[in-house]
Structures are given as C-alpha cells and as structure tokens.
Amino acid sequence: MSAVAKSTSEILTWVADIFETPADGIRPETKRDEIDAWDSLGILTLIARMDEDFQVLLTEDEIQELRSVGDIIEVLRRHGGVADNP
Amino acid sequence: MAPGRSIEAEHVFDAGEDFFRDHFPGFPVVPGVLLTEMMGQTAALCLDAESRRTGRGKAMLAQIRTASFREWVRPGEKATVKAEIRSNRPELATAACSVEVGGRRASSAELLFSFLPLGNFAPGYRDEVLESYLASRQREKG
C-alpha cells in the first residue's frame, strides 16, 4: 500500500511532469505511443518516480502492462496511490 | 563507502589541466559537465560495489534529472563528492549527489542509472547498434 495518495487530476499532472509534456495533452486514454518521451528512458524515470513519490515498487509484469496513462492510474490504484474512485 | 547506499570521495584538479586554458582564459574554473561526471562516476562506484555481489551489471549514467551549480571550483581546491543512493532496484537506481569545496556546496545533482550486463564490457564484445551503424557508414562510402 502506498504511503501517499493523489487525486486522478494530480496524477495526470504528475505524468505530464515525468514525460515533460503539457498537462492539457495528458488524459487517461492517452496511449504510450502518443507521448514522445515515453521511451525506454521514460519508463525508467516513471519507475523511479513511482518509487520516490508513491513508495510503489512495480513488478516486471506490472511494468509490461503499462500501455496508456489509464494503465498508470490503474496500477497506482491497485497500490493505494489514487485518492479518488473511478 | 557503504556499498549500494552512500559514498564520499575527494579530488583536486591540477592547475595544469588542459581544459583550464579555455575554461576560462584568465579565470580557470572546473566545467560543470566535469563536476556532473564526477558525481556520476562516484555514485556508479557505490552501485558497482554492491552489484559485484548481486550480479546486476555495471551502473551507467542514463539521465541527469536535475543539476545546479552555485560556486566555482578552482584549480588546486579539494572537491568533496558525496552521493546517496535513493531508489535502488534491479533495473535502475537514483542518486542524490553533491560537490563541496571548503564546506560550501558548489554543485548538486539528481542522477538516474541503468545497468548493463558485464559481458558488454568483455574484450572483443561487439555492440549490435554500433556494428549496424558502422556497416551503414561503410555502405555509404561504397
């Protein structure tokens, strides 16, 4: 369980910050291939920030599941990192 | 050094180093890129000391997440490099690093590392991407 929980809108802003992209272009349905910086280095940054900001350590299977911003929100929700309900 | 957790190192830049002639003429200071490289290499030593036990591979600087430079580092000054490992996972690590001179923080950086298999550094190892690039250059030359 994450020690920190954020609202869905805060997580969208957080994702935009990680991938250095404008927040208004990030929605749950945004796909990985629509975000330029979501490459191999971007994945490492995402994993590191999940650990540092949410104290969430993803498994290799969970990392493979991440194909959209919505997947990031869902994996955070499973670890208690999302404060609001879907 | 506490392998995988923290490390402290020292270095004095000799006034005769080539780069001081250009950086800057009449006002020699250590370039920020070298301070960043010092922090990266120091943190990587700390990670590699642990990885020798775990077999994780060699730490490679993958991203400079933040870097700031507050004070000059001049020839002959003793630079103390510190690194604290934050995230430390099989596939990545992050480190909070600093360079201090005379007790003052000259530079700080947050760095991200990935790990390469030790086999990639073995004599005779041929990197697939590099080989492909060299082959394409060769074809261009005809």
Side-chain angles (χ1 to χ4, degrees), chain A residues 44-45 49 51-52 57-58, chain B residues 62-63 65 87 89 92 94:
Chain A
L44 289 179
T45 308
R49 289 286 299 271
D51 184 3
E52 291 167 355
L57 299 178
L58 298 186
Chain B
Q63 187 182 44
R65 301 172 72 190
S87 286
R89 299 169 48 95
L92 65 87
T94 61

Side-chain angles (χ1 to χ4, degrees), chain A:
Chain A
M1 177 69 73
S2 168
V4 180
K6 296 180 189 291
S7 69
T8 303
S9 68
E10 286 174 326
I11 291 172
L12 294 177
T13 306
W14 177 81
V15 169
D17 178 54
I18 288 172
F19 295 124
E20 298 174 345
T21 191
D24 57 8
I26 297 293
R27 302 174 307 281
E29 56 271 27
T30 305
K31 299 273 188 286
R32 175 178 169 172
D33 58 11
E34 296 174 71
I35 301 174
D36 287 344
W38 192 340
D39 53 13
S40 58
L41 180 58
I43 291 169
L44 289 179
T45 308
L46 176 64
I47 297 167
R49 289 286 299 271
M50 282 203 178
D51 184 3
E52 291 167 355
D53 299 343
F54 291 91
Q55 289 84 57
V56 168
L57 299 178
L58 298 186
T59 66
E60 199 156 311
D61 285 345
E62 286 175 319
I63 294 166
Q64 297 297 329
E65 284 175 22
L66 302 178
R67 298 175 195 282
S68 70
V69 173
D71 292 340
I72 295 174
I73 295 170
E74 275 314 303
V75 79
L76 281 171
R77 190 185 305 283
R78 288 206 298 271
H79 287 272
V82 183
D84 47 1
N85 292 317

